[in-house]
Structures are given as structure tokens and as C-alpha cells.
Amino acid sequence: MATNYISSWAYNLKYSDLPHDVIQSASRSFYNWVGCAVGGSNHPATTIAYSSLSPFFGPPQASLLGRKGVRIDAQHAALINGIASHVHDYDDTHLDTIIHPTGPVASALLAVAEWKGGFSGKEFLLALIVGIEVECKLGLAVWPEHYDVGWHITSTTGSIGAAAAVSKLLGLSIEQSSHALGVAATQVVGLREMFGSHTKSFHPGRAAQSGLIAAILAQGGYTSSETAIEAKRGWANVVGVTKANIPVSLEKWLGMDSQGIGLAGTNGGRWEILRNSFKPYPCGIVIHPVIDGCSQLHREMVRLGLKVEDIKEVKAKVHPLVLELTGKRRPKDGLEGKFSVFHGGAIGLIFGKGTPNQYEDDVVRDLAVIDVRDKMDCEADTTIAADETKIVLTMQDGNVLENHVKHAVGSIELPMDDQMLQQKFEDQCAAVLGDEVKPASTKCWNVEDVPDIAVISGLL
Amino acid sequence: MATNYISSWAYNLKYSDLPHDVIQSASRSFYNWVGCAVGGSNHPATTIAYSSLSPFFGPPQASLLGRKGVRIDAQHAALINGIASHVHDYDDTHLDTIIHPTGPVASALLAVAEWKGGFSGKEFLLALIVGIEVECKLGLAVWPEHYDVGWHITSTTGSIGAAAAVSKLLGLSIEQSSHALGVAATQVVGLREMFGSHTKSFHPGRAAQSGLIAAILAQGGYTSSETAIEAKRGWANVVGVTKANIPVSLEKWLGMDSQGIGLAGTNGGRWEILRNSFKPYPCGIVIHPVIDGCSQLHREMVRLGLKVEDIKEVKAKVHPLVLELTGKRRPKDGLEGKFSVFHGGAIGLIFGKGTPNQYEDDVVRDLAVIDVRDKMDCEADTTIAADETKIVLTMQDGNVLENHVKHAVGSIELPMDDQMLQQKFEDQCAAVLGDEVKPASTKCWNVEDVPDIAVISGLL
């Protein structure tokens, strides 16, 4: 029985069961998430949620990242930090499922940890790992049909991951944890149709909040189904209705059939958090190879003294998913720009980089950017991998530059190293935290050794 | 475009467009809902939610029905009143979709109306009708496949109905209302697997809360998709993925193709609220014919001096859905009893009625009740209608009694009249409200003429 299997696994997992690289990956995931949440704290999707919902805020239990000194009830803190952490599309990605796993889990956990108090960095990381493993395994079990139909898999699995994590942190029994999974599973938030609007980032926030209240309700004795995940009309079969053999898939990915890719720990299995990756650019990950390639071409153009306005045309061969997910030709604002491979190419060629600045509304609407965007064309090519692209740039004088990106930065083969992650953190947090960026960065980086995780939220 | 069509229809609907019977049906729906919410206010599903979530409560904005003097933030009031109103499975039913339409909508509306203040009974009823029409039409558009797959259609449509209703009450623009529908549509709460647990009643409560915050966020400028309902990866196609021709179905039921069954008003159409029905028994509606028939047999047995312990066997022919939905042979508590046609038959024969008392845990576990339950058998018969049953009761002395219920009480053909509704209201509220039942009943019955709807919540 999947629900009970998950709860038992989570209940029994100990910090001493965690390999060093798993802990390291969890610390990096948390660190990257904090940077994203602080960096997204001023975005309208975050500030509108904050101001619109402020009439409902309860007692000051948990901090809002990026709003130093502001504390609200843990439920709303989870929601708003979750929104902030996803709004720039800059958070982490489990590449096998394109789940952004840390947002829903860490947003819920940090709020509860600060509210209740007294949880060490190690307890926090253990719970974070529990949540991330659960959501990624469930995502794998329904992938790809679930996503193809139109579900935003980050939040549809995220509420369950958050519930598992909070249950672990608060020490719920196996039975209570199962009920928590059920209350979370019945709250299926996230339609892909919302991509390009504020509501996309609402999804991981709401998933965090749903998982949080699921665990709190279950702790109080609220009942749900103890077969919520696997039953005929339970989560996996309902949200994975177009996928054949959901029961087999669940058994496989949870490890109930001992294939070695199930939930990891003392019995083997595979840690999904080791397959988590970090984005160098704040946009859909499938665009990253094009930004990489165009940024390299920018440097080549500078070297050769070529000017952007003299570009005649740009042609890129890309993985077929690129155009399906990010084929917006004429994005009208920053949020839509994140779903335009053409915008990604243009900013690479013009600025040589893609930071949140290049996704400001005025950049997306800039005539020079539009000009390059219109000169760019992409061709779907089934021989091109998801982290690959081949670009041919033709200048009006006939000059031709070519670039082949075999693996984009941020891919499994070419991950962002610690220094790049730190730079990203500092870039995102500088405007919000000012002089306090460095100490905050150090504290977050060393989360494992923090005696009380609440200290961290206070810093931000 | 369905989303815009709904928002425009709701925006333009005026109280003077409402036929008298529609207003009457809305008043009855509200009245019945209040009784259910007060009656369910002491149930563990309600009290656990109240106590577990109380650390998060915000300012005193709205009342909890059945807890006189207790006021909490409007979001949580919507959640908890929504839970209370559904927990006895005693609320209204739109028979074509088995949506319980009033719970999600009224729970959100009453909380907002009390919070903001100054809304008349007429403004409240108009918004209530908007919400109920929207959720029922959307339910019809995805029915029955959506329900068959495993979605609890009351809450999956309820969040959208609640958003439409609150948008109407607060006077949001058509564009804002469309965004509200989108934020609500992306929160798809409710798996049927939860039936029989506390989480079933959590569904309409959470839907109310989701719709409420959707409208509040949209009012503050939060954006979603303006084609959230009809887009390829929008609500209808995603949650109705197993149904063919969703776009055609949406057009048909919204009335965009002018078939005359779409959203009603000055242009014709069909009012779904006129097809709303009220339950005489607090359990799955498909069981009602059996309770009716067995209660009639109880009276016949009393007349003949026959004793329950001398029953040899009971055989009922029922609509096939009865066993599919309520075939639990050995319910272990009150909540499970609601999903046992055998329990329904036993309480009819033993007590001659089915009130919330007959669904207390100790009745469900009573040996005499279990004895009759075990003597009962049901046969699915495709010639039997959903509101019909044929029962044969055989006594150990060979005596045989028969009963044919052509239409159960509460069906469209044999609706509960006003007097029955009042009796039901008073039965439910007596224990909670004491002497104040009568004045509360009168006030709620005359909701149309109340100058400020907040007065009503204060009474309860």
C-alpha cells in the first residue's frame, strides 16, 4: 500500500542514513531556494498576494523572506514565501520530472520550524529531504502523462511532499502521517494554463500551505483515506488517469518492488535530490541551451567587433519540447518572456547573459530586443537533446558564426558549482538585503550546522 | 470563450432578472444550508478543524455558525462553515450532477458579506444564484466522466462557483472576475477516495476558501489566465480529460450555442437552482428510497405487531448506482454508515426514520442494528430508477410484507415542502441554539428581506 509505504519510510528515515552528497545537495537546494525567495519578494505576484491577503493574517509566527521584521501566521508565510521563490522561474529543477521540488517543501517547513521553534539545521534538512524524495517519486510515478494533460506537476506533487516533510519535522506517527498525505493529496493545485500569469507562482505557494495544514489537521486527529495515493479513486489514478498501469508505476518508483530506484535509504534505492539541478537563468529550463549559446556568440561578436544591429538572422536547432513549451513569439511582459525561446536568444546575443534584469517588462518591450527576437528562428530537431542546441548566426555582411552547446550550464553534466550558486544568491539578494547579503549567504550555506533554523528566517 | 462568457453573464445579471421561483429556491437553499451548518458545528470533522487551525486565525471578521459569539477571519470562517454544512451529508443536491451546490458558495459569501458589511439579503441571494448556476453548469459540462474518474464534483466546481459569487457580491469588473475564475479553477480540490472520512467535508469548505481568496486576489490585481476554463490545458479539458468533446459540452451547457439550456437570464436558458433538491436523510441520496421504504415497512410492522428481531430477511431491488456508491456491508462508524445502503435499510426498519441521530457512531455499532443490516440484501436492477426501490420483507413466521417506493421523498417528483424543511432546520439546530431556534428560523426563512445579511450570522 503506497500511502502507508511512504509514511513508514519517512517515519523511519534517520539523519545517519543520509549519505554526505545527499546532505550537501539538500543544503544547496535550500540555499538556492532562499536566494530565489528573497529575490522574488518584490515581484508584483508576491506583493499583491501579500497586500490582498493581509486582512486575513493571523499571529506573527513566521518570517517573510525579503521583508525583514515582518512576521505573519505560518500558513500565509508558507504561501507567500512559496510564491516569491518561484516567481522568477529561477528555482531548482528535478530534471526527470521538471518538478521544482524545494519551493513547496521548504516554504512549508521553514514556516513551521520558525513557528514551533527549536529545530536544528539537521532536523530541518532531514525533513526537507523526505519531502523532496516523496514529491519526486510521486511525480515519476505519473510522469509524463500527468504533465502532458496539463497539470503543473510542481504543485500537484508539492502539497504531498510538504505534508510528508512537516509530518516528519513534527514527529507525527505513521498513521497520522498517512492521513496528512491524504489531506494533501486531495488538494490538487496547478493547471499549466496559468503559465505566464501570477497564478503560476501561486501554485507552489498554495501547495506549501496545503501540505502544511494537512499535517496540522492530521496531527489534530483529522482523518482521510489511508489509501489516498493508491486507491482506485485516489490521487495517482485520478491525476494520472491517462497513464496505463499506475499501480505498477507506483510500486516501481516507490521501490515496493525492490527494483532499486525506489525511495532510498538503508535498503538501497535512488536519491532523487542528487538529480536536482539549479538554473543559471530565470526562465523555463528548456531555453537554457539557447541562452548559453547566444551568450557565447555575444562574446564572439564583441571579440570580432560585430554589432547586434547588423545581425541578419539567427537559426537554432532545438529539442522539440522547446517550441512546445516556450514558443511565444511576441511575449508582452516579463512573465511571458520566460516562455519565449526567442527572447532568451535575443538577450543572450544583446547582453551576453540572462539574469532577472533581462526579464523586466521594459526589456521585453524594448524595440532593439524585439528586433533581434524577430530575426530569430528555431527548428525542432529530434536528434537534439534537451540540454543541447546548434545555433547559426548570419550577419548582414555575410559573416557566419556557429555555436554548438552540447550541455547547457545547470544540466546534470555541467552543474552550477558552489561559486556560481553563491554569485546567483548574491545577485538576487543584493537589492533586498544590502550589506547583509554576505552574512546571510554564509549562514544559509551552513544550514546543516545551525542550532535553530529560526535564526535563518530572522536574518532574511 | 467560456471564461469571459461566464464573467460577463454574472456581471450583467440583475435581481430584476430573477423569476420568483428562482428567488424562492435560493432562499430555501440558503435556509437548508444554515440548518446543516449549525447542525454540523459540533461534529469532530468541524471541531478538529477549528481547534487545529485556530493558531492561524486572523482578525474577527465573520461568524462560525453554531458557535455564537465566535468570530474569526473570513477565510477560516468560510472553510469551517463549509465543513460543518456538509459533514452530515444532509445538504442540498443538484440531482443532475449530484453537486451539493450551496455549501461552497454560501460559506464563502456569508463570510465575505459579514466581513465587508452592508449587503442586503437581495444582493446576497443574487450572488448566491450566480455561484450556484456557474458551478452546476460547469459540472454538467464535465459530467459524468469527471465524477466517474474519482473527482468530488461538489468541490471541484465549488471553488469556481464561490469565486463567481464573491466577485459578484464585491462588484469586480468582468476582467477581474475572469482572473478570479482562473485562480479558483487552478485549485482542484476533492478526491472521492476521501468519502467516509473527515476529509470529505473538508472539500466544500476548502472550495469555499479557495474561491474566496481567488476573488480577493483578483480584486487586488492578481492575474491568471483569461481562458482558464476552456483552454487546452485549462480546467475543463484537464479535469474532464476522459470526456470527448469538452469544448462542445462547455458551449452547450453555458449556452454559448443558444440551445436554451445554458446560463439563464434575460436570454432564456435554464435555471439549475430550480433543479436543486433537499435531503430528508443525512446520507448519500441514492440510499433515500431504501430508507423511505423501510420506514414505511416499520410503521406497517408496528401496526401488525411484528418485531424487528423476528425479521428473517430483507431484499431490495435498487438502481445499480446504489451498490456502487453505498455498498459498504460493515460500516465501522457514523461517517461510513452514510455509505451503507444496508445501514439505511436497518435504521428505517428499526427506528422508522433516518436523522443524524441514526448516524451516531454508537448506533452504527449497535448489535441490534448490525443484526438487521446482516439480514438485508440488495440487488442492482437496471429497470429501477434512481429514486425508486422495491422491498420484500420476510418474517421468520413466513409473513411477507412488500413495499414499492416510486419516488423517494426529496426527489424532484416528491420534494420536501416548506414545513418539512422547517422541521429539518429545527431538528438540526435545536441542540445547538436552544430557545433561539424559532427566531433564527424565521429570520433565515425571510433572508430576501433582510437589510444586512450580517445580522443573520450574528444570530447563529
Side-chain angles (χ1 to χ4, degrees):
Chain A
M1 300 310 235
T3 311
N4 182 265
Y5 190 88
I6 294 170
S7 302
S8 305
W9 171 83
Y11 183 85
N12 290 313
L13 192 71
K14 297 187 299 292
Y15 199 79
S16 57
D17 297 333
L18 303 175
H20 176 67
D21 54 354
V22 166
I23 296 170
Q24 199 175 32
S25 180
S27 300
R28 287 164 56 92
S29 299
F30 174 72
Y31 179 80
N32 180 70
W33 171 80
V34 169
C36 292
V38 172
S41 62
N42 287 330
H43 189 283
T46 314
T47 57
I48 294 174
Y50 175 79
S51 57
S52 302
L53 300 178
S54 61
F56 308 122
F57 291 167
Q61 295 162 344
S63 301
L64 289 181
L65 302 188
R67 287 181 181 258
K68 197 161 174 181
V70 174
R71 297 175 83 234
I72 62 176
D73 69 88
Q75 259 200 60
H76 279 104
L79 172 68
I80 292 170
N81 286 333
I83 292 174
S85 73
H86 189 56
V87 73
H88 284 308
D89 278 298
Y90 216 3
D91 45 346
D92 52 344
T93 308
H94 177 252
L95 291 171
D96 304 81
T97 57
I98 62 173
I99 289 173
H100 306 292
T102 304
V105 179
S107 304
L109 269 185
L110 189 65
V112 171
E114 189 180 351
W115 166 37
K116 298 284 189 184
F119 294 103
S120 70
K122 290 187 173 57
E123 290 170 293
F124 181 85
L125 287 178
L126 176 61
L128 179 65
I129 290 162
V130 161
I132 289 176
E133 295 302 313
V134 168
E135 55 183 346
C136 291
K137 292 298 190 191
L138 289 175
L140 285 162
V142 295
W143 177 265
E145 287 83 352
H146 170 71
Y147 185 79
D148 289 344
V149 162
W151 292 107
H152 189 186
I153 192 169
T154 291
S155 41
T156 58
T157 62
S159 64
I160 309 176
V166 176
S167 297
K168 178 72 176 175
L169 190 78
L170 297 181
L172 267 58
S173 70
I174 292 174
E175 192 187 340
Q176 288 173 323
S177 304
S178 290
H179 287 298
L181 297 181
V183 180
T186 208
Q187 302 176 69
V188 187
V189 170
L191 299 173
R192 280 174 59 193
E193 172 58 22
M194 301 301 155
F195 288 11
S197 81
H198 293 152
T199 304
K200 180 174 194 255
S201 52
F202 174 79
H203 295 164
R206 189 65 166 171
Q209 197 189 29
S210 298
L212 188 161
I213 67 167
I216 297 299
L217 284 168
Q219 188 180 37
Y222 217 73
T223 62
S224 69
S225 162
E226 289 178 69
T227 55
I229 304 294
E230 69 273 24
K232 183 182 167 198
R233 291 188 175 112
W235 183 85
N237 282 306
V238 173
V239 306
V241 67
T242 54
K243 177 164 183 153
N245 275 328
I246 284 283
V248 173
S249 187
L250 267 179
E251 289 191 10
K252 170 180 159 186
W253 288 108
L254 294 178
M256 297 159 73
D257 68 351
S258 317
Q259 278 196 22
I261 52 174
L263 287 163
T266 49
N267 293 325
R270 187 179 96 179
W271 295 99
E272 297 304 325
I273 201 168
L274 296 179
R275 307 169 75 82
N276 201 16
S277 71
F278 304 98
K279 286 182 179 182
Y281 312 118
C283 61
I285 201 159
V286 293
I287 307 180
H288 292 198
V290 167
I291 304 181
D292 262 10
C294 286
S295 297
Q296 289 165 23
L297 286 171
H298 165 88
R299 289 185 277 282
E300 183 72 359
M301 286 170 67
V302 169
R303 198 180 60 80
L304 298 173
L306 301 176
K307 287 184 173 155
V308 169
E309 50 269 36
D310 296 330
I311 290 175
K312 183 181 171 203
E313 59 173 31
V314 192
K315 285 181 180 290
K317 289 190 177 182
V318 295
H319 186 270
L321 213 54
V322 175
L323 285 170
E324 192 193 325
L325 296 178
T326 61
K328 266 197 203 294
R329 264 255 156 238
R330 292 185 177 77
K332 62 178 191 296
D333 56 24
L335 279 181
E336 285 198 0
K338 293 171 184 297
F339 296 90
S340 171
V341 62
F342 309 104
H343 185 69
I347 57 174
L349 288 168
I350 298 172
F351 303 103
K353 61 184 173 180
T355 75
N357 288 340
Q358 279 73 50
Y359 286 92
E360 295 287 338
D361 291 347
D362 57 353
V363 174
V364 173
R365 295 172 189 147
D366 183 89
L367 290 180
V369 174
I370 292 173
D371 180 57
V372 178
R373 228 151 57 198
D374 287 346
K375 287 177 179 163
M376 179 155 183
D377 218 348
C378 286
E379 182 192 341
D381 185 330
T382 54
T383 68
I384 299 281
D387 60 348
E388 180 184 11
T389 188
K390 291 179 180 170
I391 306 174
V392 179
L393 170 67
T394 308
M395 305 301 290
Q396 276 164 358
D397 64 5
N399 232 320
V400 172
L401 304 183
E402 297 193 26
N403 189 289
H404 181 189
V405 175
K406 293 199 181 71
H407 298 293
V409 176
S411 63
I412 290 286
E413 285 76 7
L414 194 62
M416 288 180 80
D417 60 25
D418 288 356
Q419 199 184 343
M420 293 165 86
L421 271 184
Q422 278 187 32
Q423 189 61 48
K424 178 181 169 185
F425 183 101
E426 291 171 15
D427 283 349
Q428 290 186 98
C429 297
V432 180
L433 298 180
D435 290 346
E436 295 173 52
V437 165
K438 288 279 182 190
S441 169
T442 306
K443 191 66 94 175
C444 291
W445 200 241
N446 298 316
V447 57
E448 188 188 356
D449 299 319
V450 170
D452 187 335
I453 192 80
V455 171
I456 286 195
S457 3
L459 270 179
L460 304 161
Chain B
M1 299 311 237
T3 310
N4 182 265
Y5 191 87
I6 294 170
S7 301
S8 304
W9 171 84
Y11 183 85
N12 290 312
L13 192 72
K14 296 186 299 293
Y15 199 76
S16 56
D17 298 333
L18 304 174
H20 176 67
D21 57 352
V22 167
I23 295 170
Q24 200 175 32
S25 182
S27 299
R28 285 164 58 91
S29 298
F30 174 70
Y31 179 80
N32 180 71
W33 171 80
V34 169
C36 292
V38 172
S41 61
N42 289 330
H43 189 283
T46 313
T47 57
I48 294 173
Y50 176 79
S51 57
S52 302
L53 300 179
S54 61
F56 308 123
F57 290 168
Q61 295 161 344
S63 301
L64 289 180
L65 302 187
R67 289 183 179 254
K68 199 165 174 178
V70 175
R71 297 175 85 234
I72 62 177
D73 69 88
Q75 260 200 60
H76 279 104
L79 171 69
I80 292 170
N81 287 332
I83 292 173
S85 72
H86 189 59
V87 74
H88 284 307
D89 277 298
Y90 216 4
D91 46 347
D92 52 345
T93 308
H94 177 252
L95 291 171
D96 304 81
T97 56
I98 61 172
I99 289 173
H100 305 292
T102 304
V105 180
S107 305
L109 270 185
L110 190 65
V112 171
E114 190 180 352
W115 167 36
K116 297 284 188 181
F119 294 103
S120 71
K122 290 186 175 57
E123 289 172 292
F124 181 85
L125 288 178
L126 176 62
L128 179 65
I129 290 163
V130 160
I132 289 177
E133 295 301 312
V134 168
E135 60 184 342
C136 291
K137 293 298 190 191
L138 289 176
L140 286 162
V142 296
W143 177 265
E145 286 83 353
H146 170 70
Y147 186 79
D148 290 345
V149 161
W151 291 107
H152 188 186
I153 191 168
T154 291
S155 41
T156 58
T157 62
S159 64
I160 308 177
V166 176
S167 298
K168 177 71 177 173
L169 190 77
L170 297 182
L172 267 60
S173 70
I174 293 175
E175 191 186 340
Q176 287 173 325
S177 305
S178 290
H179 286 297
L181 296 181
V183 180
T186 208
Q187 302 176 69
V188 188
V189 170
L191 298 173
R192 280 175 58 193
E193 171 60 21
M194 301 301 155
F195 288 10
S197 80
H198 292 153
T199 304
K200 179 174 194 259
S201 53
F202 173 80
H203 294 165
R206 189 65 166 169
Q209 197 188 31
S210 299
L212 190 160
I213 65 165
I216 298 300
L217 285 169
Q219 188 180 37
Y222 217 72
T223 61
S224 70
S225 162
E226 288 178 69
T227 55
I229 305 294
E230 70 273 22
K232 183 182 167 196
R233 289 185 176 119
W235 184 85
N237 283 305
V238 173
V239 306
V241 66
T242 55
K243 178 163 182 150
N245 274 330
I246 284 282
V248 173
S249 187
L250 266 181
E251 289 192 7
K252 172 179 159 186
W253 288 109
L254 294 178
M256 297 159 73
D257 67 350
S258 316
Q259 276 196 24
I261 52 175
L263 286 164
T266 49
N267 294 324
R270 188 177 95 178
W271 295 99
E272 297 306 323
I273 200 167
L274 295 179
R275 307 169 75 83
N276 201 18
S277 72
F278 305 99
K279 286 182 180 182
Y281 312 119
C283 60
I285 201 160
V286 294
I287 307 180
H288 292 198
V290 167
I291 305 181
D292 262 10
C294 286
S295 297
Q296 289 165 21
L297 286 170
H298 166 88
R299 289 186 277 282
E300 183 73 359
M301 287 171 66
V302 169
R303 198 180 60 79
L304 297 173
L306 301 176
K307 287 184 175 155
V308 167
E309 49 269 36
D310 297 331
I311 290 175
K312 184 179 170 205
E313 60 173 31
V314 193
K315 285 182 181 288
K317 290 190 175 179
V318 296
H319 185 271
L321 213 53
V322 175
L323 285 170
E324 190 192 326
L325 296 179
T326 61
K328 266 197 203 296
R329 263 255 155 241
R330 294 189 174 76
K332 64 177 191 296
D333 56 24
L335 279 182
E336 285 198 359
K338 294 171 184 294
F339 295 88
S340 170
V341 62
F342 309 105
H343 185 70
I347 59 174
L349 288 166
I350 298 171
F351 302 103
K353 61 183 175 183
T355 76
N357 288 341
Q358 279 73 51
Y359 287 91
E360 295 287 337
D361 290 348
D362 56 354
V363 174
V364 173
R365 293 170 191 151
D366 184 88
L367 290 179
V369 173
I370 292 172
D371 181 56
V372 179
R373 229 152 52 198
D374 287 346
K375 287 176 178 164
M376 180 156 182
D377 220 347
C378 286
E379 182 191 342
D381 184 331
T382 54
T383 69
I384 299 280
D387 60 349
E388 181 186 10
T389 187
K390 290 179 179 171
I391 307 174
V392 179
L393 170 68
T394 308
M395 304 301 292
Q396 276 164 358
D397 63 6
N399 231 322
V400 171
L401 304 182
E402 298 193 27
N403 190 290
H404 180 189
V405 174
K406 292 198 181 71
H407 297 293
V409 175
S411 63
I412 288 287
E413 285 75 9
L414 195 62
M416 289 180 81
D417 59 23
D418 288 356
Q419 201 183 341
M420 293 165 87
L421 272 184
Q422 278 187 32
Q423 190 60 52
K424 178 181 167 185
F425 182 101
E426 290 169 16
D427 283 351
Q428 290 186 97
C429 297
V432 181
L433 299 180
D435 291 346
E436 297 173 51
V437 165
K438 289 281 183 188
S441 171
T442 306
K443 192 65 96 179
C444 291
W445 199 241
N446 298 315
V447 57
E448 190 189 355
D449 300 319
V450 170
D452 186 336
I453 192 81
V455 171
I456 288 195
S457 3
L459 270 178
L460 303 161

